[in-house]
Amino acid sequence: MKVFISWSGSRSQAVAELMNDWIKCVLQASNPWISTRGIDKGSIWFSEISDQLKDTAAGIVCLTQENKDKPWILFETGALAKGLNTNRVCTFLIDLEPKDIEDPLAQFNHTTADSDSMWGLISSLNAGLDVNRLSDKVLRQVFDTYWPQFDSGFKQILEDFPVKASVAPRTDKSILSEILNNTRVLSNRIRELESRNEKLDPVLRSKYTNSNMNFPGYVKNVTRWRKDGITESACIQRLAEVGVGEQEIIEIMNSVSIAELL
C-alpha cells in the first residue's frame, strides 16, 4: 500500500521524512513515498508526482503555520482527494490546532503528534493492508516499540526548525462563516438522502425490509467498513457474497458517502 506524504517548507519536509521512516518501521508492508526521496535526478517532478498520486492508497499532508495556505499543499491535497472514495487523506498538524484549519483542508481528518492520535492514524493505515494487515495485538506492540523514536524525533525537529513567521489566528467571522457553510452543505446532503429513499422502488424497498439486514443496516455497515480502510470494491464484493443484488448494491454505495456525514 502506497502512502503519499505531502510537504512544503523545511519544517514540514523534516517531519515528512521522519514520518516516512517511522511508518515503514511500524508497517513494513507499507510503501511510504515523499518527493525528496522518490524522484530520480533528471525526472520531470510535476509528471512524476502526478504518476505517483494515481496509485496512492492513502495520503498524509504535513501542515504548518507557514504552508497551510500554500498552492503546492493545496494542489497535492486536491489531487489526493480526487480519489476520495478509494483513497484516505488526513492532515498531520505540526504546529497547528484543528480550529486553525480552513476549508478545503478542514474537510479532512486531522492527526496530531500525540500517541492516541498517531495510533488512530497507524491503525487506519494498517486496515488498508488487507492480507498483510497486522493483528491489533501485534500492531500495538510494534507501535509502542517505535513511538518513542517518533516522539523524540518530532520534538527535535520543532527545535531545529523554528517557526520563521507568526501567522495571525483565524477570526471569529471566518470560523462562523465556515460553520454556516458546512451546515448548509450537510442539510442539502441529508435532504438528498431522504429524497433518494422516498424514490426507491417499492419492490426493492421490500427486498431490503425482508432481508436479514435492511437498507439502513447495509449503509451503516459499509460506512463502517470504509472508515476501517476497506476499499470500495471489497465492500461491493462483501455485499454480493451475502446475496445483495446489483441494483441494491448501487443504491447502498450511492448512499454511503452521505451517511458518513450523518
Side-chain angles (χ1 to χ4, degrees):
M1 178 182 72
K2 180 180 291 182
V3 182
F4 187 100
I5 305 176
S6 177
W7 62 272
S8 177
S10 56
R11 173 177 267 201
S12 177
Q13 177 183 348
V15 172
E17 292 180 342
L18 173 66
M19 185 83 70
N20 178 87
D21 295 341
W22 183 75
I23 290 176
K24 189 63 179 177
C25 288
V26 179
L27 298 175
Q28 295 185 10
S30 66
N31 181 28
W33 191 93
I34 55 177
S35 59
T36 49
R37 299 184 185 179
I39 298 180
D40 295 329
K41 291 182 178 179
S43 297
I44 301 176
W45 60 269
F46 183 87
S47 175
E48 178 69 15
I49 288 179
S50 297
D51 289 342
Q52 293 295 333
L53 286 169
K54 291 177 182 178
D55 59 348
T56 293
I60 301 172
V61 184
C62 297
L63 291 183
T64 65
Q65 294 182 29
E66 297 173 281
N67 74 13
K68 63 185 179 70
D69 298 316
K70 296 294 185 182
W72 182 243
I73 282 289
L74 297 177
F75 164 76
E76 288 192 344
T77 307
L80 286 166
K82 287 178 70 175
L84 197 57
N85 287 335
T86 54
N87 293 348
R88 294 180 300 279
V89 184
C90 77
T91 58
F92 181 73
L93 307 184
I94 297 173
D95 49 25
L96 297 163
E97 296 181 25
K99 63 181 178 63
D100 299 324
I101 309 301
E102 300 185 55
D103 285 335
L105 297 178
Q107 301 298 319
F108 300 104
N109 293 323
H110 302 308
T111 298
T112 53
D114 61 85
S115 178
D116 289 342
S117 187
M118 290 297 290
W119 168 253
L121 171 63
I122 211 68
S123 296
S124 177
L125 295 178
N126 182 58
L129 291 176
D130 294 329
V131 295
N132 295 313
R133 184 184 308 171
L134 299 178
S135 68
D136 289 343
K137 181 178 179 181
V138 172
L139 181 64
R140 185 81 246 185
Q141 291 174 340
V142 178
F143 178 88
D144 289 343
T145 298
Y146 285 101
W147 168 248
Q149 174 183 320
F150 181 88
D151 187 43
S152 61
F154 179 78
K155 291 175 180 176
Q156 187 62 50
I157 288 173
L158 296 185
E159 293 183 10
D160 294 342
F161 297 90
V163 177
K164 295 181 179 179
S166 177
V167 179
R170 295 182 63 183
T171 64
D172 291 343
K173 181 179 180 180
S174 172
I175 295 173
L176 290 174
S177 176
E178 180 181 312
I179 293 173
L180 176 60
N181 181 66
N182 290 340
T183 301
R184 287 172 174 169
V185 171
L186 181 57
S187 297
N188 289 336
R189 299 293 292 275
I190 291 174
R191 283 197 293 270
E192 182 182 348
L193 177 59
E194 292 173 343
S195 175
R196 287 183 182 180
N197 286 340
E198 290 174 358
K199 295 177 181 179
L200 192 63
D201 185 344
V203 175
L204 185 58
R205 188 187 298 276
S206 176
K207 288 182 181 180
Y208 291 133
T209 303
N210 296 331
S211 63
N212 291 331
M213 186 187 302
N214 58 20
F215 177 74
Y218 281 122
V219 172
K220 182 178 180 180
N221 262 25
V222 175
T223 301
R224 188 181 73 250
W225 295 340
R226 296 291 289 120
K227 289 182 177 179
D228 288 341
I230 306 302
T231 64
E232 184 175 299
S233 59
C235 290
I236 292 173
Q237 182 177 351
R238 289 186 177 187
L239 293 173
E241 288 175 350
V242 297
V244 181
E246 181 178 347
Q247 183 59 39
E248 296 168 315
I249 291 176
I250 292 174
E251 293 289 340
I252 291 167
M253 299 307 295
N254 283 342
S255 299
V256 165
S257 60
I258 299 174
E260 289 175 343
L261 296 174
L262 300 179

